[in-house]
Amino acid sequence: PPMSFIPSAERYNRMANIDRWVIQHGLTQFKRHMNAGSDYVYSITISGQSLSQNEFLHYIVGILDKTEVDAAKVCFEITETAAIANMAHASKFINTLKSMGCMFALDDFGSGLSSFAYLKNLNVDYLKIDGCFVKNMLEDEIDYAMVKSITEIGHVMKLKTIAEFVETEAIMDELKKIGVDYGQGFGLCKPTPLSNLLPYEEETKHQSNGAA
């Protein structure tokens, strides 16, 4: 699981290397999916360590050009805490890649102390509501109010909202009433290998060719 190695990678400043590997292999696979007729939007999370490096931005631009992937189908996710810590770099990172057609999601939104204050300065497309509010929203009035307020502010700013930790049907139904646009969690779908999402024709083709 990610949390079994990511803290160590962050401690020893190896996250940028992991991010580069994920970007390279992810965009290559995304291109295969798109060529096979997939209409998904593909998301990749960027670590705070990578976000602060100018050379990492140049790396992504180069990979996007090399793979010729449809940038409009790619969404990069950055956490709220990473954006706060690197506002100047975050703004440059977001604006540069959005100019190429990419989308952005602000992950774990609501966990920072000044979320709403700086939100209008970040040119993002999605707000991912921190799961710590979502998972207890049916039992905790404050958590419920946070989810509702983030959704309302997001919609005023023309942003789509995504709730994390959607683990029960009851939570999903309440999120729909509030007006949250999308959900993420075991109650909707469990993690699955990217290869399992290949369109049937492309998957069959690779199997017949003996490809893994």
Side-chain angles (χ1 to χ4, degrees), residues 15-17 19 46-54 56-57 93:
M15 277 307 301
N17 299 72
D19 284 345
I46 303 298
S47 72
Q49 290 181 6
S50 296
L51 189 64
S52 63
Q53 299 177 1
N54 284 325
F56 185 77
L57 174 59
F93 192 94

Side-chain angles (χ1 to χ4, degrees), residues 159-177:
L159 305 176
K160 296 291 186 179
T161 52
I162 306 170
E164 301 176 333
F165 284 42
V166 182
E167 299 184 347
T168 69
E169 188 171 343
I171 289 177
M172 181 171 61
D173 290 342
E174 197 60 37
L175 291 170
K176 288 180 180 179
K177 293 178 184 178

Side-chain angles (χ1 to χ4, degrees), residues 77 107 128 162-167 182-189:
E77 297 187 10
D107 200 8
K128 297 190 71 175
I162 306 170
E164 301 176 333
F165 284 42
V166 182
E167 299 184 347
Y182 301 102
Q184 175 183 315
F186 283 9
L188 296 170
C189 182

